[in-house]
Amino acid sequence: MEKTIEETKEYLGMWVTEDGHIRHELLQTMRYDEARGSRKSAYQGSYRVTGNHIDYKDDTGFTADGEFKNGILYHGGMIFYKEL
């Protein structure tokens, strides 16, 4: 049986849209830091990974979620790729 991203911890690191405009860094502390364009730390908050699902809660209380499928993060109508 294939392991979930929660089990492998492969979600840790930088996730980037194809155009590089939005960058999510998922930290080991279960916090994230999102940059948008030249705006560093545009959004920050916490996250939780369950199986292949991720739930975000930014520091203002806004919530969102996403799914990891085949090494790609689908979140808020956007597609993120793991930066190596």
XYZ file of all heavy atoms in Angstrom:
691
model
N 0.838 -1.181 0.000
C 0.000 0.000 0.000
C 0.892 1.256 0.000
O 1.859 1.339 0.734
C -0.914 -0.025 1.226
C -1.936 1.061 1.243
S -3.052 0.783 2.641
C -4.364 1.832 2.168
N 0.525 2.214 -0.826
C 1.302 3.445 -0.941
C 1.127 4.324 0.299
O 0.034 4.471 0.820
C 0.836 4.215 -2.182
C 1.755 5.325 -2.566
C 1.370 5.922 -3.904
O 1.016 5.161 -4.809
O 1.419 7.152 -4.000
N 2.240 4.898 0.762
C 2.189 5.759 1.943
C 1.606 7.121 1.583
O 1.762 7.601 0.465
C 3.585 5.952 2.523
C 4.146 4.714 3.165
C 5.458 5.008 3.839
C 5.968 3.777 4.560
N 7.174 4.064 5.323
N 0.949 7.747 2.562
C 0.422 9.092 2.367
C 1.538 10.112 2.538
O 2.586 9.809 3.108
C -0.696 9.408 3.384
O -0.116 9.453 4.689
C -1.817 8.383 3.323
N 1.301 11.319 2.074
C 2.295 12.374 2.238
C 2.485 12.714 3.719
O 3.556 13.131 4.131
C 1.956 13.612 1.379
C 3.225 14.448 1.156
C 0.817 14.410 1.981
C 3.156 15.370 -0.020
N 1.439 12.491 4.522
C 1.572 12.698 5.967
C 2.631 11.747 6.536
O 3.462 12.147 7.345
C 0.233 12.455 6.665
C 0.304 12.560 8.177
C -0.996 12.185 8.863
O -1.877 11.572 8.224
O -1.122 12.504 10.051
N 2.623 10.512 6.076
C 3.566 9.515 6.573
C 4.998 9.770 6.093
O 5.941 9.591 6.849
C 3.120 8.115 6.128
C 1.822 7.668 6.771
C 1.289 6.401 6.135
O 1.184 6.328 4.900
O 0.965 5.471 6.903
N 5.150 10.208 4.851
C 6.489 10.402 4.287
C 7.083 11.767 4.635
O 8.292 11.952 4.508
C 6.455 10.289 2.753
O 5.672 11.361 2.217
C 5.918 8.939 2.307
N 6.233 12.705 5.046
C 6.658 14.086 5.365
C 7.194 14.827 4.130
O 7.851 15.848 4.260
C 7.711 14.121 6.473
C 7.315 13.397 7.740
C 6.440 14.259 8.592
C 6.249 13.644 9.954
N 4.892 13.323 10.274
N 6.893 14.334 2.938
C 7.367 14.977 1.716
C 6.673 16.311 1.444
O 7.030 17.008 0.505
C 7.209 14.034 0.521
C 8.171 12.869 0.588
C 7.997 11.866 -0.542
O 7.234 12.137 -1.488
O 8.636 10.803 -0.463
N 5.718 16.682 2.266
C 5.067 17.985 2.124
C 5.968 19.119 2.604
O 5.782 20.272 2.222
C 3.739 18.032 2.887
C 3.852 17.726 4.358
C 4.183 18.712 5.275
C 3.630 16.432 4.832
C 4.287 18.423 6.633
C 3.733 16.138 6.176
C 4.059 17.136 7.073
O 4.165 16.860 8.410
N 6.964 18.817 3.436
C 7.844 19.857 3.981
C 8.665 20.504 2.873
O 9.143 19.830 1.962
C 8.782 19.269 5.032
C 8.101 18.785 6.297
C 9.083 18.017 7.163
C 7.498 19.947 7.065
N 8.801 21.823 2.943
C 9.606 22.544 1.969
C 8.799 23.595 1.232
O 7.721 24.006 1.675
N 9.322 24.011 0.091
C 8.736 25.102 -0.687
C 7.875 24.559 -1.820
O 8.305 23.696 -2.583
C 9.860 25.968 -1.269
C 9.371 27.203 -1.975
S 8.612 28.417 -0.875
C 10.076 29.066 -0.068
N 6.661 25.097 -1.915
C 5.716 24.761 -2.978
C 5.448 26.047 -3.760
O 5.173 27.086 -3.165
C 4.426 24.192 -2.380
C 4.643 22.868 -1.725
C 5.096 22.639 -0.458
C 4.457 21.597 -2.318
N 5.197 21.297 -0.226
C 4.806 20.625 -1.350
C 4.028 21.169 -3.572
C 4.733 19.264 -1.597
C 3.945 19.811 -3.824
C 4.298 18.872 -2.840
N 5.511 25.953 -5.086
C 5.504 27.146 -5.923
C 4.541 26.960 -7.096
O 4.487 25.883 -7.701
C 6.932 27.411 -6.472
C 6.987 28.674 -7.291
C 7.944 27.454 -5.345
N 3.793 28.034 -7.441
C 2.976 27.989 -8.652
C 3.904 27.977 -9.859
O 5.064 28.387 -9.775
C 2.016 29.196 -8.733
O 2.769 30.405 -8.640
C 0.962 29.144 -7.642
N 3.395 27.532 -10.988
C 4.233 27.401 -12.184
C 4.907 28.719 -12.571
O 6.068 28.729 -12.990
C 3.402 26.879 -13.358
C 4.218 26.549 -14.567
C 3.421 25.852 -15.651
O 2.189 26.021 -15.708
O 4.043 25.146 -16.457
N 4.205 29.837 -12.382
C 4.787 31.140 -12.732
C 5.663 31.718 -11.624
O 6.250 32.778 -11.774
C 3.700 32.138 -13.113
C 2.737 32.457 -11.979
O 2.928 31.994 -10.835
O 1.771 33.192 -12.247
N 5.747 31.018 -10.481
C 6.585 31.447 -9.364
C 6.016 32.591 -8.558
O 6.653 33.070 -7.616
N 4.799 33.038 -8.877
C 4.214 34.197 -8.191
C 3.858 33.906 -6.734
O 4.036 34.745 -5.862
C 2.978 34.693 -8.949
C 2.371 35.916 -8.356
N 2.957 37.157 -8.477
C 1.251 36.093 -7.627
C 2.216 38.050 -7.843
N 1.171 37.426 -7.324
N 3.337 32.717 -6.473
C 2.936 32.351 -5.110
C 3.817 31.212 -4.634
O 4.011 30.218 -5.335
C 1.450 31.959 -5.038
C 0.593 33.129 -5.530
C 1.063 31.566 -3.611
C -0.869 32.817 -5.644
N 4.349 31.384 -3.426
C 5.274 30.407 -2.845
C 4.838 30.095 -1.419
O 4.742 30.995 -0.607
C 6.689 30.977 -2.858
C 7.161 31.397 -4.239
C 8.440 32.215 -4.221
N 9.570 31.510 -3.661
C 10.321 30.641 -4.321
N 10.055 30.366 -5.572
N 11.338 30.057 -3.734
N 4.544 28.835 -1.155
C 4.187 28.363 0.193
C 5.369 27.592 0.754
O 5.776 26.586 0.175
C 3.030 27.361 0.148
C 1.707 27.957 -0.083
N 0.565 27.233 0.118
C 1.309 29.167 -0.484
C -0.475 27.972 -0.169
N -0.046 29.151 -0.547
N 5.894 28.034 1.873
C 6.919 27.240 2.542
C 6.263 26.555 3.730
O 5.764 27.210 4.649
C 8.088 28.097 3.002
C 9.196 27.249 3.590
C 10.449 28.021 3.918
O 10.425 29.265 3.918
O 11.468 27.363 4.181
N 6.248 25.229 3.699
C 5.686 24.431 4.788
C 6.826 24.028 5.708
O 7.718 23.280 5.310
C 4.952 23.209 4.238
C 3.781 23.520 3.290
C 3.168 22.229 2.785
C 2.744 24.394 3.969
N 6.798 24.549 6.912
C 7.884 24.365 7.868
C 7.635 23.168 8.786
O 6.475 22.781 9.008
C 8.043 25.643 8.705
C 8.239 26.930 7.883
C 8.076 28.150 8.763
C 9.589 26.911 7.205
N 8.689 22.621 9.371
C 8.568 21.482 10.294
C 7.783 21.844 11.547
O 7.278 20.964 12.226
C 9.950 20.981 10.694
C 10.657 20.249 9.586
C 12.000 19.717 10.031
O 12.680 20.318 10.853
N 12.382 18.585 9.481
N 7.678 23.105 11.865
C 6.977 23.568 13.066
C 5.461 23.603 12.883
O 4.754 24.086 13.763
C 7.457 24.977 13.441
O 7.208 25.851 12.330
C 8.924 24.982 13.802
N 4.997 23.094 11.730
C 3.570 23.095 11.361
C 3.062 24.519 11.122
O 1.894 24.812 11.298
C 2.715 22.344 12.392
C 3.187 20.922 12.644
S 3.474 19.937 11.146
C 1.819 19.639 10.613
N 3.965 25.387 10.721
C 3.656 26.759 10.320
C 3.977 26.892 8.838
O 4.794 26.138 8.305
C 4.495 27.767 11.108
C 4.307 27.746 12.595
C 3.171 28.588 13.096
N 3.322 29.994 12.695
C 2.320 30.864 12.699
N 1.108 30.485 13.073
N 2.505 32.111 12.339
N 3.326 27.854 8.193
C 3.655 28.132 6.802
C 3.896 29.618 6.628
O 3.438 30.447 7.411
C 2.559 27.641 5.841
C 1.306 28.483 5.860
C 1.171 29.564 4.995
C 0.265 28.202 6.729
C 0.026 30.343 5.014
C -0.873 28.966 6.742
C -0.998 30.037 5.885
O -2.130 30.809 5.909
N 4.630 29.935 5.591
C 4.924 31.318 5.223
C 4.692 31.417 3.722
O 5.288 30.677 2.949
C 6.378 31.653 5.571
C 6.671 33.136 5.458
O 6.299 33.739 4.433
O 7.274 33.677 6.389
N 3.794 32.310 3.325
C 3.444 32.454 1.919
C 3.921 33.792 1.379
O 3.640 34.836 1.965
C 1.928 32.347 1.736
C 1.491 32.520 0.297
C -0.001 32.438 0.134
O -0.634 31.525 0.714
O -0.551 33.290 -0.579
N 4.624 33.742 0.274
C 5.052 34.952 -0.430
C 4.213 35.085 -1.698
O 3.830 34.081 -2.313
C 6.526 34.855 -0.784
N 3.922 36.338 -2.057
C 3.180 36.618 -3.296
C 3.936 37.682 -4.067
O 4.060 38.809 -3.604
C 1.769 37.083 -2.993
C 0.918 35.948 -2.457
C -0.531 36.327 -2.370
N -1.291 35.157 -1.988
C -2.355 34.736 -2.628
N -2.807 35.390 -3.669
N -2.989 33.659 -2.228
N 4.447 37.297 -5.217
C 5.250 38.223 -6.008
C 6.454 38.676 -5.210
O 7.178 37.872 -4.644
N 6.654 39.981 -5.118
C 7.793 40.508 -4.354
C 7.452 40.703 -2.879
O 8.304 41.103 -2.095
C 8.251 41.839 -4.956
O 7.204 42.789 -4.874
N 6.214 40.400 -2.507
C 5.768 40.575 -1.114
C 6.096 39.327 -0.287
O 5.391 38.322 -0.352
C 4.276 40.862 -1.084
C 3.766 41.216 0.273
C 2.326 41.654 0.189
N 1.753 41.664 1.521
C 0.487 41.499 1.780
N -0.379 41.326 0.789
N 0.056 41.511 3.010
N 7.177 39.379 0.464
C 7.566 38.258 1.318
C 6.655 38.205 2.539
O 6.192 39.231 3.021
C 9.018 38.405 1.751
C 9.984 38.308 0.596
C 11.407 38.399 1.060
C 12.327 38.292 -0.132
N 13.720 38.332 0.240
N 6.410 37.010 3.027
C 5.562 36.793 4.214
C 4.220 37.519 4.087
O 3.747 38.145 5.028
C 6.304 37.225 5.481
O 7.484 36.467 5.642
N 3.594 37.402 2.913
C 2.285 38.014 2.677
C 1.242 37.409 3.616
O 0.369 38.116 4.117
C 1.868 37.834 1.223
N 1.344 36.099 3.840
C 0.444 35.403 4.747
C 1.265 34.396 5.541
O 2.174 33.762 5.017
C -0.655 34.657 3.990
C -1.521 35.576 3.182
C -1.284 35.772 1.828
C -2.565 36.280 3.766
C -2.067 36.621 1.074
C -3.353 37.144 3.029
C -3.097 37.309 1.683
O -3.865 38.159 0.943
N 0.894 34.238 6.799
C 1.532 33.247 7.658
C 0.449 32.591 8.500
O -0.587 33.195 8.771
C 2.555 33.899 8.578
C 3.721 34.497 7.841
C 4.679 35.204 8.768
O 4.278 35.904 9.682
N 5.960 35.014 8.528
N 0.707 31.379 8.919
C -0.258 30.690 9.751
C 0.194 29.274 10.047
O 1.365 28.927 9.904
N -0.768 28.460 10.435
C -0.486 27.072 10.776
C -1.145 26.159 9.752
O -2.032 26.578 9.000
C -0.990 26.753 12.181
O -2.385 26.960 12.258
N -0.719 24.919 9.737
C -1.323 23.932 8.849
C -1.312 22.571 9.523
O -0.572 22.334 10.475
C -0.594 23.876 7.497
C 0.782 23.269 7.558
C 0.971 21.905 7.383
C 1.902 24.059 7.794
C 2.239 21.344 7.446
C 3.173 23.503 7.854
C 3.327 22.154 7.679
O 4.572 21.605 7.747
N -2.164 21.692 8.997
C -2.222 20.314 9.482
C -2.392 19.403 8.267
O -3.233 19.678 7.404
C -3.390 20.124 10.434
C -3.466 18.704 10.998
C -4.618 18.522 11.936
N -5.846 18.586 11.131
C -7.032 18.876 11.611
N -7.183 19.155 12.884
N -8.084 18.914 10.837
N -1.593 18.364 8.186
C -1.697 17.392 7.104
C -2.301 16.118 7.664
O -1.842 15.596 8.680
C -0.313 17.110 6.475
C -0.414 15.999 5.434
C 0.261 18.377 5.859
N -3.350 15.634 7.004
C -4.006 14.390 7.371
C -4.111 13.545 6.109
O -4.816 13.924 5.171
C -5.415 14.651 7.943
O -5.321 15.606 8.997
C -6.040 13.375 8.459
N -3.379 12.452 6.082
C -3.352 11.641 4.863
C -2.700 12.433 3.741
O -1.542 12.799 3.824
N -3.470 12.743 2.700
C -2.997 13.557 1.590
C -3.728 14.897 1.536
O -3.707 15.590 0.518
C -3.157 12.814 0.262
C -2.198 11.650 0.169
O -1.032 11.767 0.514
N -2.693 10.506 -0.288
N -4.366 15.266 2.619
C -5.148 16.508 2.727
C -4.402 17.502 3.621
O -3.779 17.105 4.606
C -6.519 16.188 3.328
C -7.419 17.361 3.428
N -8.226 17.759 2.384
C -7.639 18.235 4.433
C -8.909 18.831 2.765
N -8.559 19.141 4.000
N -4.485 18.793 3.273
C -3.876 19.828 4.103
C -4.924 20.880 4.445
O -5.724 21.275 3.596
C -2.644 20.472 3.414
C -1.951 21.460 4.353
C -3.019 21.101 2.079
C -0.579 21.934 3.884
N -4.946 21.279 5.695
C -5.805 22.360 6.182
C -4.914 23.502 6.637
O -3.961 23.285 7.387
C -6.658 21.891 7.368
C -7.724 20.906 6.942
O -8.618 21.295 6.180
O -7.647 19.736 7.380
N -5.234 24.710 6.168
C -4.492 25.914 6.530
C -5.363 26.808 7.402
O -6.574 26.888 7.199
C -4.176 26.758 5.288
C -3.268 26.147 4.279
C -3.770 25.414 3.205
C -1.894 26.347 4.342
C -2.935 24.895 2.241
C -1.047 25.830 3.376
C -1.582 25.110 2.330
O -0.751 24.600 1.377
N -4.728 27.523 8.328
C -5.399 28.577 9.079
C -4.391 29.710 9.231
O -3.364 29.553 9.900
C -5.856 28.101 10.457
C -6.622 29.178 11.209
C -7.191 28.657 12.506
C -7.997 29.741 13.191
N -8.538 29.267 14.462
N -4.690 30.844 8.555
C -3.711 31.927 8.662
C -3.905 32.681 9.964
O -4.869 32.465 10.696
C -3.713 32.822 7.421
C -4.826 33.841 7.345
O -5.539 34.080 8.350
O -4.991 34.440 6.280
N -2.968 33.557 10.267
C -2.962 34.231 11.568
C -4.117 35.213 11.750
O -4.358 35.667 12.867
C -1.619 34.934 11.791
C -0.477 33.941 11.996
O -0.759 32.758 12.311
O 0.684 34.337 11.845
N -4.874 35.495 10.670
C -6.064 36.348 10.797
C -7.323 35.521 11.024
O -8.392 36.070 11.234
C -6.252 37.226 9.545
O -6.606 36.387 8.436
C -5.022 38.042 9.235
N -7.192 34.174 10.934
C -8.333 33.292 11.148
C -8.908 32.710 9.869
O -9.791 31.851 9.908
N -8.445 33.157 8.697
C -8.916 32.631 7.418
C -8.486 31.179 7.282
O -7.358 30.820 7.627
C -8.334 33.453 6.261
C -8.718 32.942 4.906
C -9.970 33.196 4.378
C -7.819 32.199 4.162
C -10.324 32.719 3.116
C -8.158 31.715 2.907
C -9.415 31.975 2.384
N -9.378 30.333 6.787
C -9.058 28.920 6.600
C -9.167 28.526 5.134
O -9.933 29.116 4.370
C -9.974 28.013 7.439
O -11.327 28.224 7.037
C -9.814 28.293 8.920
N -8.394 27.527 4.748
C -8.410 26.983 3.392
C -7.893 25.554 3.469
O -7.392 25.123 4.510
C -7.535 27.821 2.477
N -8.023 24.836 2.377
C -7.515 23.472 2.366
C -7.015 23.105 0.981
O -7.148 23.876 0.031
C -8.558 22.479 2.873
C -9.762 22.356 1.956
O -9.955 23.209 1.071
O -10.512 21.386 2.118
N -6.444 21.920 0.887
C -5.921 21.442 -0.380
C -5.662 19.951 -0.340
O -5.839 19.312 0.696
N -5.241 19.418 -1.470
C -4.950 17.992 -1.607
C -3.622 17.798 -2.316
O -3.317 18.505 -3.286
C -6.036 17.288 -2.425
C -7.383 17.213 -1.757
C -7.434 16.252 -0.585
O -6.712 15.234 -0.593
O -8.199 16.528 0.350
N -2.857 16.829 -1.849
C -1.633 16.405 -2.512
C -1.972 15.202 -3.378
O -2.519 14.217 -2.879
C -0.574 15.999 -1.488
C -0.097 17.124 -0.623
C -0.654 17.342 0.629
C 0.924 17.967 -1.047
C -0.199 18.370 1.451
C 1.378 18.997 -0.240
C 0.810 19.198 1.014
N -1.661 15.291 -4.669
C -1.901 14.171 -5.593
C -0.707 14.048 -6.523
O -0.357 15.008 -7.219
C -3.166 14.412 -6.432
C -4.440 14.442 -5.637
C -5.633 14.708 -6.528
C -6.881 14.873 -5.683
N -8.025 15.295 -6.482
N -0.089 12.888 -6.516
C 1.040 12.600 -7.412
C 2.131 13.661 -7.341
O 2.652 14.109 -8.358
C 0.543 12.448 -8.847
C -0.442 11.312 -8.992
O -0.251 10.242 -8.424
N -1.507 11.543 -9.732
N 2.461 14.095 -6.134
C 3.543 15.046 -5.947
C 3.198 16.490 -6.271
O 4.079 17.345 -6.355
N 1.913 16.789 -6.445
C 1.439 18.135 -6.757
C 0.447 18.547 -5.675
O -0.344 17.737 -5.199
C 0.769 18.169 -8.141
C 1.786 17.796 -9.221
C 0.156 19.533 -8.432
C 1.187 17.592 -10.593
N 0.477 19.828 -5.284
C -0.454 20.370 -4.298
C -1.516 21.186 -5.023
O -1.205 22.136 -5.736
C 0.285 21.254 -3.290
C -0.570 22.082 -2.328
C -1.525 21.211 -1.513
C 0.326 22.919 -1.424
N -2.772 20.796 -4.853
C -3.921 21.513 -5.409
C -4.560 22.280 -4.258
O -5.022 21.681 -3.295
C -4.922 20.529 -6.017
C -4.337 19.764 -7.180
C -3.635 18.582 -6.974
C -4.470 20.245 -8.479
C -3.083 17.876 -8.037
C -3.920 19.553 -9.552
C -3.230 18.370 -9.314
O -2.683 17.682 -10.369
N -4.551 23.600 -4.364
C -5.007 24.443 -3.260
C -5.649 25.715 -3.802
O -5.032 26.445 -4.579
C -3.810 24.790 -2.368
C -4.020 25.940 -1.441
N -4.947 25.917 -0.425
C -3.437 27.151 -1.393
C -4.908 27.077 0.217
N -3.999 27.841 -0.364
N -6.898 25.965 -3.408
C -7.581 27.207 -3.766
C -7.650 27.480 -5.254
O -7.514 28.620 -5.673
N -7.844 26.441 -6.063
C -7.908 26.612 -7.501
C -6.543 26.789 -8.147
O -6.448 27.061 -9.344
N -5.488 26.667 -7.361
C -4.128 26.813 -7.876
C -3.405 25.478 -7.809
O -3.795 24.589 -7.065
C -3.363 27.858 -7.054
C -3.958 29.241 -7.137
S -3.113 30.406 -6.060
C -3.800 29.947 -4.466
N -2.332 25.381 -8.590
C -1.510 24.178 -8.617
C -0.105 24.571 -8.190
O 0.473 25.517 -8.722
C -1.490 23.559 -10.026
C -2.915 23.170 -10.429
C -0.559 22.351 -10.071
C -3.044 22.732 -11.872
N 0.417 23.839 -7.205
C 1.751 24.095 -6.659
C 2.653 22.890 -6.904
O 2.224 21.736 -6.756
C 1.690 24.350 -5.150
C 1.040 25.628 -4.777
C -0.342 25.736 -4.678
C 1.788 26.764 -4.526
C -0.959 26.915 -4.349
C 1.186 27.964 -4.184
C -0.182 28.041 -4.081
N 3.897 23.186 -7.234
C 4.899 22.158 -7.471
C 5.984 22.285 -6.408
O 6.353 23.376 -6.024
C 5.515 22.322 -8.859
C 4.483 22.223 -9.951
C 3.856 23.371 -10.435
C 4.109 20.998 -10.465
C 2.886 23.290 -11.421
C 3.137 20.897 -11.458
C 2.533 22.049 -11.935
O 1.560 21.971 -12.904
N 6.497 21.157 -5.968
C 7.548 21.136 -4.956
C 8.842 21.637 -5.582
O 9.265 21.165 -6.624
C 7.730 19.720 -4.409
C 8.793 19.587 -3.338
C 8.198 19.783 -1.968
C 9.203 19.647 -0.864
N 9.306 18.307 -0.328
N 9.441 22.617 -4.935
C 10.724 23.140 -5.394
C 11.821 22.235 -4.858
O 11.862 21.952 -3.664
C 10.897 24.571 -4.891
C 12.056 25.294 -5.489
C 12.052 26.744 -5.059
O 12.462 27.015 -3.916
O 11.624 27.595 -5.863
N 12.696 21.818 -5.709
C 13.761 20.892 -5.292
C 15.024 21.631 -4.941
O 15.299 22.688 -5.324
C 14.043 19.878 -6.383
C 12.818 19.046 -6.776
C 13.164 18.144 -7.941
C 12.332 18.213 -5.600
